[in-house]
Each structure stands twice: as structure tokens, then as C-alpha cells.
């Protein structure tokens, strides 16, 4: 029997980079550091992680936050505390051993179901954090410790309306296309100027082309008109392109 329960919530999806490349002991270390980082950040921001509905995923987690956790604290103080925790841990580590974290925040439908939670906010947060170009930031920008990506709604409601210490120019707008999901989002990386992320909004997001009727940069429109018989073109304009 289907549930008639309904609620909206802030959903967080986070993931550590490079988990699959390590051995068993490395996995244990990464998991411990992942939990320690989130726990310490919550304490510093005045949040209560014990009340979150958390689905562990080894090198990451999917969390549904209760309404008692203020969204501005999560978006702002919590993320800044996560970043500082990463910087502190990474200072003494070799580049290949550093901990680097991707975090996505989305708000929308999220409610208990027979095997966890259901709702579009969970889908959105999961797709945002898994977006392939987002992962590439760590490959191309070695000094980046944290990458935060906000859904359009979270950005507009929390950042754009002045509820945090961020400026809207601290973020870079992108269009995310990951699996069946497509939509705008906003990226913040503390170590990087938003202009350095310009390539994310200009590069093709997926190998199989645009979705939902979109047109990629590499596509061009072409109209061919075949005419039979004489044509009066004295007032016509013709465009000629070189390819």
C-alpha cells in the first residue's frame, strides 16, 4: 500500500574523493575522517547530527535534515567548518593522501518510505554531487579541499536573499546534466575564484548530448530551402558561413 505521508526537507549528499583507489586500511581511515569531519562541523555550527536521518555510503552519506536545523546555518557555518576541518587535516598530509570533499544541498520533497526515503530532493542532491565535471575540479585544481554545489532553490532562498555571509558572486552558475536529471546549480570552492570554474558552464556536461530539448554549443541550426523555377532575390539577404 502506498504511503500518503508527505514532507519537504533539506537534503545533503557528500562524498570523499579517491575512495576506490585505496586499500582496506585506507578505506577505514577515510571513513573515520569523514565522520569526524561532519561531526566536528555540526558541533561548531550548533547543529545536531543525531537528529538527522542518515544513509551511510562508506565514502559518503545521504542525509535528510529535520526542520529544526536552520538552513542558513547548514549552508554557511556548517560548510565553512567542514572546509576548515579539511584544511587542518590536509596540512600535514602528502598531496596524494589529502581528504577532499564534494557536498550537494537540495530542498524539496523528502519523506520516509519502505526502504529509506523517497522524494525528488534526494534525487537532486544525489545527481548534483555525482556530476562528472564536479569531480574533475579536484583532478584539475590540486589546492581545492571542498566543493559545494547548491540547487537553484537553495541558492535563491538562502544565499540570494542574504541569509548567509556569502556573496552571490562567490558562486558559479552551471547547468547540471547527470543521468535523468537536468537543472541549474551553483558552485562554491573556497580556494578557487569563481572565474576559474568558467569552463564548467561552457563545456558539454554529458557525452550523449543535450537533454530536455536543449542545444549544445557544438550544435548548429541549418535550414536548406530547395526552389524550383526562377527566383526573384533582389531584396533577399543571404548568409554565408565558412566551416
Amino acid at each position: 500500500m502506498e504511503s500518503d505521508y508527505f514532507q519537504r526537507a533539506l537534503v545533503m549528499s557528500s562524498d570523499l574523493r579517491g575512495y576506490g583507489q585505496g586499500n582496506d586500511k585506507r578505506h577505514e581511515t577515510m571513513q573515520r575522517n569523514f565522520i569526524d569531519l561532519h561531526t566536528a562541523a555540526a558541533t561548531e555550527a550548533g547543529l545536531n547530527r543525531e537528529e538527522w536521518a542518515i544513509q551511510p555510503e562508506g565514502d559518503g552519506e545521504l542525509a535528510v535534515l529535520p526542520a529544526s536545523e536552520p538552513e542558513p546555518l547548514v549552508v554557511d557555518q556548517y560548510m565553512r567548518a567542514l572546509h576548515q576541518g579539511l584544511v587542518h587535516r590536509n596540512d600535514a598530509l602528502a598531496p596524494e593522501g589529502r581528504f577532499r570533499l564534494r557536498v550537494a544541498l537540495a530542498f524539496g520533497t523528502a519523506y520516509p518510505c519502505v526502504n529509506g526515503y523517497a522524494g525528488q530532493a534526494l534525487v537532486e542532491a544525489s545527481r548534483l554531487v555525482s556530476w562528472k565535471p564536479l569531480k574533475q575540479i579536484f583532478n584539475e585544481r590540486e589546492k581545492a579541499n571542498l566543493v559545494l554545489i547548491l540547487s537553484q532553490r537553495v541558492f535563491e532562498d538562502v544565499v540570494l536573499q542574504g541569509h548567509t555571509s556569502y556573496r552571490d558572486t562567490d558562486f558559479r552558475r552551471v547547468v547540471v546534466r547527470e543521468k535523468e536529471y537536468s537543472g541549474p546549480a551553483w558552485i562554491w570552492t573556497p580556494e578557487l575564484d569563481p572565474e576559474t570554474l568558467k569552463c564548467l558552464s561552457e563545456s558539454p556536461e554529458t557525452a550523449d548530448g543535450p537533454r530536455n530539448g536543449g542545444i549544445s554549443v557544438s550544435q548548429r541550426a541549418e535550414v536548406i530551402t530547395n526552389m524550383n523555377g526562377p527566383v526573384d532575390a533582389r531584396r533577399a539577404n543571404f548568409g554565408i558561413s565558412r566551416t
Side-chain angles (χ1 to χ4, degrees), residues 100-194:
R100 309 170 83 186
L101 189 66
R102 301 190 314 277
V103 183
L105 289 171
F107 183 88
T109 309
Y111 58 91
C113 197
V114 293
N115 192 33
Y117 273 72
Q120 292 305 306
L122 287 94
V123 174
E124 186 171 19
S126 299
R127 297 299 178 256
L128 291 179
V129 84
S130 298
W131 188 43
K132 294 178 181 64
L134 197 70
K135 298 178 181 180
Q136 286 298 114
I137 293 177
F138 288 145
N139 295 334
E140 299 174 3
R141 302 288 189 271
E142 291 185 358
K143 64 180 180 180
N145 291 288
L146 172 75
V147 175
L148 170 65
I149 182 166
L150 303 180
S151 70
Q152 177 81 353
R153 180 168 186 177
V154 172
F155 178 79
E156 289 182 346
D157 291 352
V158 182
V159 176
L160 205 57
Q161 296 305 317
H163 297 294
T164 70
S165 62
Y166 299 109
R167 300 167 300 173
D168 59 334
T169 54
D170 292 335
F171 290 78
R172 182 79 195 182
R173 184 185 185 277
V174 296
V175 176
V176 173
R177 295 186 178 93
E178 182 68 19
K179 294 186 177 179
E180 74 289 342
Y181 175 82
S182 178
W186 296 80
I187 295 176
W188 175 68
T189 306
E191 286 87 4
L192 304 180
D193 187 291

Side-chain angles (χ1 to χ4, degrees), residues 50-145:
E50 293 182 359
E51 295 184 356
W52 299 8
I54 297 175
Q55 178 179 307
E57 298 175 348
D59 59 340
E61 68 178 29
L62 187 63
V64 179
L65 280 61
S68 58
E69 302 286 60
E71 289 179 51
L73 285 183
V74 179
V75 175
D76 195 343
Q77 286 90 327
Y78 187 82
M79 291 304 144
R80 295 188 187 278
L82 266 182
H83 173 244
Q84 288 304 313
L86 285 163
V87 171
H88 178 73
R89 279 172 167 75
N90 288 336
D91 276 347
L93 298 176
E96 64 274 10
R98 292 170 58 203
F99 300 99
R100 309 170 83 186
L101 189 66
R102 301 190 314 277
V103 183
L105 289 171
F107 183 88
T109 309
Y111 58 91
C113 197
V114 293
N115 192 33
Y117 273 72
Q120 292 305 306
L122 287 94
V123 174
E124 186 171 19
S126 299
R127 297 299 178 256
L128 291 179
V129 84
S130 298
W131 188 43
K132 294 178 181 64
L134 197 70
K135 298 178 181 180
Q136 286 298 114
I137 293 177
F138 288 145
N139 295 334
E140 299 174 3
R141 302 288 189 271
E142 291 185 358
K143 64 180 180 180
N145 291 288

